[in-house]
């Protein structure tokens, strides 16, 4: 209890950084009103206000009236009090932390704003003002900062309490409000563009600090059910744990759950910065020294299950080791994104995800193999890419990820919206190179991002091929077209089966899709790159190909509507990814080159199959290739 109390007190001390934030914002304001005032882009701000003032219409003015009302001082105070009371009355544990988080975030942002205005004196734009001009400085925007603290805070709480479509819709609507308030303040002539940008950053930084200080790092999970008696003998599991993502309470529940399912022998290992797989290869090769069996010549032969407690980066590193050995892998999602778990429709909570996997079935899934300049050959299970998405991953703060979860990537993405397009060539299955320009390129084994966004709607983990998307929106129209197309492919939207061609252009050219078993990318200039959410050094090329059904993953048992067990991974993946049309039930791979054997591998219940040699049921590409013995080295295989 003492350690918990000290940890909580240490987080609260993060609020002492608020004076530092105040000093930084004030310093930026003094620069904007002093030495930088007549330099671009500040010198162009008056033109923005003039242009908006000349184009005011009664309809838009009426809309911005609503934004000004919502972000006004009286409205923010009233809404904060109401929301705080509601949070205290809702029967959740611990409600006072969430109520305190919201109230402190709004109050702290206001305090920073008032202190900065005492130091920075900036005139408001020289255009007709729609609202009465308050006596305070125009820098930073108080309306914008208050709206970020209030509505952004509600978005954080909604992301922790809600699930599924309601969660995505509520969080999205709440986050749009501060952006609209920012636009309305410039439109109404009350602030320069830099004032509202400073207001957005001030509110966001305050929100991040208060969230890290007051909100618990993880929600309490429901107590596991009574232990189930195991009808099987003692089996061995190797558990790879990310020490920061998987806390002690979760680790204890995982240990108990595995024991209840007959895994009496458990060997735990922790990841490190230098070895994100936690030396898994060495643990797979270990043998019980109390037995009289001979030396180990088949890595993983004595391991019945590998359990990965971490995020996509940890899962990737472990999949790189396990793929091709025939050892089943169970995923305990403890990271920020957990994209593989989400695409496989695993429960989002760690212990329930493991419980459902242990009660379910083993499915053979594809993995990608990738290499590049400065990147040793490795495998990936989710996506790899270059350009905008890689820069976003690289520059996302670890602290923000801990406090805000996947929403922290949004903050980083805003910084790279104006990045230059890249020139690249793409070669599919050894064909002729295609010259393109794009903001980012993503190679996917699965296709759905956080929030259910279907970036690669046709990507399937059992197709025997990889999907590629080039994102190149031109202006606001291009972004809207791309967003509209992706929204139409989201669950509940209208869906279309792919045309079957290897090259597909969508959203008026803002999105371009390809499918192939091997993809070669070459960039005119070094680009940031990422693999399954981990940033890699900039480089000028990437080569990826697919290993069909090479990774055996424990997944929840199919519902009766999905068909009986043993119907194949394609039937299972249809139920998981839900990317096909509502009427077309053809299970033939859409693209040539997908192996027919990729749809034949589904093991039965994990307790009955965990110790079965992989070669007895795995299709080509899974288990030990060519009857060879020993664990395949990932780098040799990728070459």
């Amino acid at each position: 209890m003492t350690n918990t109390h000290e940890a909580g007190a240490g987080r609260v001390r993060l609020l002492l950084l608020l004076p530092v934030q105040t000093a930084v914002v004030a310093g930026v304001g003094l620069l904007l009103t002093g030495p930088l005032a007549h330099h671009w882009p500040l010198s162009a701000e008056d033109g923005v206000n003039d242009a908006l003032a000349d184009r005011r219409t009664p309809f838009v003015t009426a809309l911005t009236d609503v934004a000004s009302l919502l972000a006004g001082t009286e409205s923010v105070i009233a809404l904060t009090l109401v929301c705080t009371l509601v949070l205290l009355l809702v029967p959740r544990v611990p409600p006072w932390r969430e109520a305190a988080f919201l109230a402190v975030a709004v109050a702290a942002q206001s305090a920073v704003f008032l202190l900065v205005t005492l130091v920075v004196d900036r005139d408001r734009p020289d255009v007709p003002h729609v609202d009465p001009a308050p006596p305070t400085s125009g820098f930073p925007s108080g309306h914008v900062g208050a709206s970020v603290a209030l509505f952004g805070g509600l978005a954080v709480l909604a992301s922790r309490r809600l699930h599924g479509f309601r969660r995505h819709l509520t969080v999205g609507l709440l986050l749009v409000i501060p952006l609209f308030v920012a636009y309305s303040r410039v439109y109404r002539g009350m602030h320069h563009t830099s004032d509202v940008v400073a207001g957005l950053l001030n509110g966001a930084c305050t929100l991040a600090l208060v969230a890290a200080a007051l909100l618990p790092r993880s929600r309490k999970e429901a107590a596991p059910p009574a232990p189930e008696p195991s009808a099987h003998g003692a089996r061995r599991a190797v558990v790879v744990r990310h020490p920061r993502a998987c806390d002690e309470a979760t680790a204890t529940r995982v240990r108990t759950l595995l024991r209840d399912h007959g895994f009496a022998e458990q060997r735990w290992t922790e990841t490190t910065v230098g070895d994100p797989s936690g030396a898994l290869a060495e643990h797979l090769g270990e043998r019980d020294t109390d037995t009289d069996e001979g030396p180990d010549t088949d890595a993983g032969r004595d391991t019945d299950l590998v359990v990965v407690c971490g995020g996509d980066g940890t899962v990737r590193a472990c999949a790189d080791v396990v793929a091709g050995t025939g050892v089943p892998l169970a995923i305990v999602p403890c990271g920020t994104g957990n994209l593989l778990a989400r695409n496989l429709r695993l429960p989002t909570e760690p212990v329930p995800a493991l419980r459902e996997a242990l009660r379910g079935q083993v499915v053979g899934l594809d993995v990608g193999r990738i290499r590049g300049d400065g990147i040793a050959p490795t495998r990936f299970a989710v996506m790899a890419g270059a350009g905008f998405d890689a820069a976003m991953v690289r520059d996302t703060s670890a602290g923000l990820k801990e406090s805000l979860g996947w929403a922290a990537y949004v903050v980083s993405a805003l910084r790279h919206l104006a990045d230059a397009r890249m020139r690249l060539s793409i070669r599919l299955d050894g064909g002729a190179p295609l010259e393109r320009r794009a903001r980012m390129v993503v190679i996917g084994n699965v296709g759905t991002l956080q929030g259910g966004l279907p970036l690669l709607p046709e990507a399937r983990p059992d197709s025997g091929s990889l999907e590629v998307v080039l994102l190149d929106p031109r202006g606001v129209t291009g972004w809207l077209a791309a967003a509209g197309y992706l929204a139409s492919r989201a669950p509940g939207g209208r869906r279309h089966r792919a045309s079957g061609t290897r090259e597909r252009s969508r959203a008026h050219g803002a999105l371009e899709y390809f499918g192939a078993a091997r993809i070669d990318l070459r960039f005119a200039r070094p680009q940031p790159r990422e693999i399954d959410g981990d940033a890699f050094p900039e480089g000028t090329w990437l080569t990826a190909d697919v290993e069909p059904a090479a990774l055996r993953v424990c997944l929840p048992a199919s519902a009766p509507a999905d068909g009986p067990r043993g119907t194949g991974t394609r039937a299972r993946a249809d139920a998981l990814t839900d990317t096909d049309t509502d009427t077309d039930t053809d299970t033939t791979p859409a693209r040539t080159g997908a192996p027919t054997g990729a749809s034949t591998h589904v093991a039965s219940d994990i307790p009955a199959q965990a110790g079965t040699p992989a070669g007895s049921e795995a299709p080509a590409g899974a288990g030990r290739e060519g009857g060879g013995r020993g664990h395949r080295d990932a780098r040799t295989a990728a070459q």
Side-chain angles (χ1 to χ4, degrees):
M1 182 176 293
T2 301
N3 291 338
T4 302
H5 175 74
E6 290 177 353
R11 292 198 299 270
V12 171
R13 283 196 290 268
L14 289 172
L15 295 178
L16 297 178
L17 292 175
L18 287 171
V20 178
Q21 177 184 325
T22 304
V24 171
V25 176
V28 171
L30 293 175
L31 286 175
L32 296 182
T33 56
L36 301 181
H38 301 293
H39 292 79
W40 191 90
L42 298 178
S43 59
E45 287 189 313
D46 289 335
V48 174
N49 291 102
D50 291 337
L52 289 175
D54 292 340
R55 291 169 174 79
R56 288 175 185 165
T57 65
F59 176 72
V60 178
T61 301
L63 285 179
T64 58
D65 285 341
V66 177
S68 291
L69 177 62
L70 279 176
T73 302
E74 297 82 0
S75 299
V76 168
I77 293 175
L79 288 172
T80 302
L81 290 175
V82 170
C83 293
T84 301
L85 290 174
V86 170
L87 287 170
L88 290 173
L89 293 175
V90 172
R92 274 291 182 95
V93 179
W96 69 268
R97 284 187 176 273
E98 296 185 344
F101 157 71
L102 189 64
V104 172
V106 174
Q109 183 283 142
S110 299
V112 173
F113 160 72
L114 290 174
L115 291 173
V116 171
T117 57
L118 295 177
V119 178
V120 180
D121 184 17
R122 190 179 197 189
D123 294 333
R124 296 184 183 272
D126 187 18
V127 296
H129 299 159
V130 178
D131 298 325
T136 55
S137 168
F139 180 92
S141 172
H143 282 67
V144 173
S147 66
V148 172
L150 174 57
F151 298 106
L154 291 174
V156 171
L157 298 182
S159 69
R160 297 165 64 88
R161 285 177 173 266
L162 302 179
H163 300 280
F165 177 75
R166 287 197 310 158
R167 175 187 183 186
H168 307 320
L169 179 63
T170 303
V171 170
L173 291 175
L174 288 170
L175 292 180
V176 165
I177 294 176
L179 297 176
F180 184 60
V181 170
Y183 168 78
S184 72
R185 299 306 289 169
V186 179
Y187 173 87
R188 298 169 76 86
M190 305 309 298
H191 291 287
H192 296 93
T193 305
S194 56
D195 298 334
V196 299
V197 171
L200 288 170
L201 294 177
N202 179 38
C205 291
T206 303
L207 205 60
L209 284 176
V210 177
L214 299 183
L215 289 181
R217 294 186 182 274
S218 60
R219 290 178 292 181
K220 297 287 186 181
E221 294 164 342
E228 301 175 354
S230 174
H232 309 281
R235 288 170 292 154
R236 181 189 184 214
V238 176
V239 185
V240 180
R241 174 193 173 204
H242 190 296
R244 294 182 62 185
C246 179
D247 57 30
E248 289 293 342
T250 301
T252 300
R253 293 186 177 96
V254 168
R255 187 177 286 107
T256 302
L257 187 59
L258 287 172
R259 188 179 299 116
D260 294 340
H261 281 78
F263 292 95
E265 183 184 353
Q266 301 175 30
R267 303 200 179 181
W268 286 66
T269 178
E270 292 189 353
T271 67
T272 63
V273 176
D275 189 351
S277 72
L280 176 58
E282 298 176 12
H283 287 275
L284 287 179
E286 291 178 357
R287 296 185 63 85
D288 190 342
T289 56
D290 295 333
T291 65
D292 296 328
E293 298 182 31
D296 183 16
T297 58
D298 209 353
R301 193 174 74 184
D302 291 333
T303 300
D304 300 302
L305 180 68
V306 171
V307 180
V308 183
C309 304
D312 286 315
T314 307
V315 173
R316 180 197 65 79
C318 293
D320 188 23
V321 176
V322 174
T325 67
V327 179
L329 183 75
I331 301 171
V332 181
C334 298
T336 303
N338 301 316
L339 286 182
L340 183 60
R342 293 174 188 272
N343 277 271
L344 298 178
R345 298 288 180 87
L346 285 169
T348 56
E349 297 293 338
V351 175
L354 178 60
R355 184 184 301 117
E356 292 299 315
L358 293 176
R359 292 173 176 173
Q361 57 193 4
V362 179
V363 177
L365 300 181
D366 305 340
V367 292
R369 298 182 300 185
I370 193 164
R371 61 186 183 275
D373 50 327
I375 299 178
T378 186
R379 294 180 173 92
F380 67 95
V382 183
M383 299 176 189
F388 171 78
D389 68 314
M392 175 189 69
V393 168
R394 179 192 62 193
D395 296 336
T396 299
S397 163
L400 279 182
K401 285 199 292 184
E402 285 194 15
S403 58
L404 299 181
W406 65 265
Y409 290 108
V410 177
V411 179
S412 178
L414 294 175
R415 299 169 53 188
H416 293 285
L417 285 177
D419 286 359
R421 300 159 65 208
M422 58 182 173
R423 294 174 55 192
L424 73 155
S425 66
I426 177 171
R427 186 190 298 267
L428 307 173
D429 291 333
L434 306 173
E435 303 297 329
R436 294 291 189 272
R437 286 181 178 267
R439 294 190 181 277
M440 76 174 189
V441 56
V442 174
I443 305 170
N445 187 43
V446 294
T448 302
L449 302 178
Q450 291 94 343
L453 183 69
L455 180 64
L456 292 155
E458 303 302 326
R460 307 167 62 96
D462 68 334
S463 64
S465 64
L466 300 171
E467 285 287 318
V468 188
V469 61
L470 299 179
L471 176 67
D472 190 27
R474 308 289 180 88
V476 176
T477 303
W479 284 105
L480 291 176
Y485 174 77
L486 294 177
S488 72
R489 302 302 302 253
R494 56 185 178 85
R495 298 189 295 270
H496 306 284
R497 179 173 291 278
S499 63
T501 61
R502 301 173 66 83
E503 179 180 339
R504 306 178 299 280
S505 180
R506 298 289 185 265
H508 306 294
L511 293 163
E512 192 172 9
Y513 291 98
F514 308 89
R518 178 186 174 94
I519 298 102
D520 293 284
L521 300 174
R522 295 293 185 272
F523 310 110
R525 294 182 179 179
Q527 298 294 331
R529 297 170 293 180
E530 62 90 10
I531 302 175
D532 279 2
D534 286 339
F536 280 75
E538 291 189 355
T540 58
W541 65 275
L542 285 172
T543 294
D545 56 0
V546 68
E547 285 187 338
L551 184 65
R552 302 179 69 213
V553 180
C554 301
L555 297 179
S558 301
D562 296 334
R565 290 179 188 172
T567 54
T569 54
R570 179 162 297 282
R572 174 63 188 155
D574 284 341
L576 294 173
T577 57
D578 191 26
T579 56
D580 289 340
T581 61
D582 298 326
T583 58
D584 191 344
T585 58
D586 179 18
T587 58
T588 303
R591 285 168 297 278
T592 59
T596 57
S599 61
T600 62
H601 172 49
V602 173
S604 61
D605 181 78
I606 177 67
Q609 291 292 339
T612 303
S616 63
E617 58 176 335
R624 297 165 183 84
E625 294 185 339
R629 307 179 67 186
H631 168 62
R632 251 187 348 165
D633 182 80
R635 290 161 178 77
T636 303
Q639 290 173 333

